[in-house]
Structures are given as structure tokens and as C-alpha cells.
Amino acid sequence: MIKIKTTEDVRKMQKAGSIVADVLCMIEEYIKPGLSTWDLDQAAEKLIRKSGAVPSFKGYGNPPFPGSVCASIDHEVVHGIPSKNRIIEEGMLVSIDVGAYIDGFHGDAARTFAVGQVSQDKLDLLRVTEECFWKGLELARPGNRLGDLSAAVQKHAEDHGYGVVRELTGHGIGRDLHEDPDLPNYGRAGHGIRLEAGMVLAMEPMINLGTRRIALEADGWTIVTADGKPSSHYENTFAITEDGPLILTKRD
Ligand code: MG
């Protein structure tokens, strides 16, 4: 069941979203070779709590996710567990996914950062993944169908020869971190539910340089590409309004 948000709900979600955006901005400045993904996690958790929010991901799921953020490097697609043993190096792609919960609502967004000098292959992947998000977002208005967004994301990625992860999707978001509907990064235009003002969605293209196939690591969380090639991830939470999409995971 899709939960339609009131104007007041959306206002609260803007607060959660702005904290998520602050954390991603902080990480962008802070990230550098020599830090561990645990260092990033600690800095993120500190800022989330200082802002009066709670990290949405900590303790989520089964096994309970141990971190405040997901930190996924290179061939790791999403859900990487922050670790003191994962040291960031020049040339890596590091994806950081952040969730914050405050006033009864969640915000959720992810960015993939290029650390220092990064190969052109990786930079192109990063750019196109971000473009996929904006191609989908353009269509996020009342009357359009969910499949319109999915198809736009898929087309842009596959036009560049990239693999689109299918097993994991974007999602509705609100009082729960994951609400209906699922928002796949592949699909058919003209299909799926009709979008309405008051729906709030997190769209999150997960795009692979090589095959779309993925595997789950033994830690029960980390998703990796089956061929070991790099992957990129970009996500924002947004509300559908009569005037079009309103991104909630942006700074005040
Ligand atoms: Mg999400």
C-alpha cells in the first residue's frame, strides 16, 4: 500500500533529507586516501546525532546492519559494511549511502566519490549513473507511470553499454525506510502505477561497468558485481508534487 504524504509530512521529510545532504557534503570534503571506511562511518554518525537524528541503517535488517552508513568500494555495488580494515586509496570509487530518521520520518541518499586520480572508465561510469537519476527524475510528475522512470534509467545506462542491477531497487520512503512501491532501475514505459502528488520515493540507480549480475558476500550484506568490475550508485529522496519532483535530500 502506498502511503501518500501530507504537506506537513513532506516538510518533516525535508528536515530528515537536509541532514542526509549535510552528511554527504561533509564526507565529500573529508574523504581521502589513508582513512578507513570506519572513519567515514564514525564522522557520519556523529553529524547525524549532533543534528538530532538517528542513523536509519544502524541495526536495520537481518543480520542487523552494524554501520551508520553503507560504504561500498569499486566492485562493491551497495551495502558495504564500514570497517577499520578497509583503507581508502587513490583511484577508488567509494559509494556512501546515508539514512537519517527524525520527527518520525526518514531521508535516504547516496553518492559515489572518486578518490584522487581515477581512471576514465570509472569517471564515465560515475557520471552516467548520476545522469540516469536525472533522466528518471524528469518524468516524476503526477499522471506519469512508475515504469516511465525505470525505463529512462535503464535506457541511459544500457545506451552506454553498462549493466543495470535488477535484484535491488529504489523504494517508497516515509515513516518507514522502505515503503511501497519498489522502484526498479529497469522497466517499461507506460507500465506500473500512476504517480500522484504526495508520493515520496527514493530512486537509486546501481550501474555496473560490466555485467549486471551480482553476488552476496559472506558477511550477509555486501553486494558485489559478479565479474569484479566497478559499480556506481546515486540516490536521492524526492516528493511528487503538482509542480513536478521536489528533491528532499538537499541542504537547507
Ligand atoms: Mg534507498
Side-chain angles (χ1 to χ4, degrees):
M1 193 194 71
I2 298 172
K3 295 181 184 122
I4 298 295
K5 277 74 184 179
T6 65
T7 308
E8 178 63 13
D9 292 342
V10 170
R11 201 193 54 74
K12 287 180 181 170
M13 292 192 75
Q14 272 177 314
K15 186 168 172 189
S18 76
I19 294 168
V20 168
D22 286 343
V23 171
L24 287 168
C25 267
M26 179 276 292
I27 297 279
E28 184 170 24
E29 305 227 315
Y30 180 53
I31 193 168
K32 63 170 188 274
L35 292 177
S36 69
T37 54
W38 175 255
D39 294 326
L40 302 185
D41 181 87
Q42 291 303 286
E45 178 165 3
K46 204 169 143 194
L47 182 51
I48 291 168
R49 294 197 188 278
K50 199 181 111 193
S51 308
V54 172
S56 302
F57 302 165
K58 196 158 206 174
Y60 186 89
N62 188 26
F65 190 78
S68 292
V69 302
C70 301
S72 312
I73 296 178
D74 287 340
H75 71 293
E76 295 169 349
V77 180
V78 288
H79 302 168
I81 297 176
S83 164
K84 289 176 183 166
N85 298 322
R86 287 310 298 280
I87 305 300
I88 293 160
E89 294 169 21
E90 172 120 6
M92 284 178 163
L93 286 186
V94 182
S95 126
I96 300 293
D97 196 343
V98 179
Y101 178 78
I102 188 167
D103 293 346
F105 289 93
H106 294 274
D108 185 6
R111 295 288 181 271
T112 298
F113 301 109
V115 181
Q117 291 281 0
V118 171
S119 70
Q120 193 60 48
D121 271 6
K122 286 181 175 177
L123 287 178
D124 290 342
L125 176 67
L126 197 145
R127 174 180 53 82
V128 170
T129 303
E130 190 169 333
E131 286 168 1
C132 283
F133 173 86
W134 297 107
K135 296 268 178 193
L137 189 78
E138 268 174 26
L139 301 169
R141 46 185 67 250
N144 282 355
R145 301 221 183 231
L146 202 65
D148 299 343
L149 282 62
S150 301
V153 170
Q154 180 182 13
K155 181 175 188 310
H156 192 63
E158 292 182 351
D159 281 352
H160 288 81
Y162 296 143
V164 177
V165 173
R166 299 202 176 195
E167 293 84 349
L168 299 156
T169 67
H171 48 93
I173 177 169
R175 291 191 180 277
D176 292 308
L177 180 61
H178 295 111
E179 297 185 354
D180 288 338
D182 287 343
L183 174 44
N185 295 306
Y186 68 97
R188 290 161 68 194
H191 288 251
I193 56 142
R194 218 175 263 289
L195 300 178
E196 285 173 42
M199 289 180 180
V200 179
L201 303 168
M203 183 164 53
E204 46 181 320
M206 290 159 248
I207 309 297
N208 298 345
L209 187 62
T211 178
R212 70 174 173 86
R213 304 276 169 201
I214 56 170
L216 177 65
E217 294 272 72
D219 62 21
W221 275 104
T222 312
I223 303 286
V224 295
T225 56
D227 60 6
K229 290 186 179 172
S231 183
S232 184
H233 182 208
Y234 186 91
E235 176 183 25
N236 281 305
T237 299
F238 59 89
I240 311 274
T241 78
E242 294 298 345
D243 302 323
L246 173 68
I247 291 190
L248 305 180
T249 40
K250 65 179 186 205
R251 303 186 84 181
D252 265 344

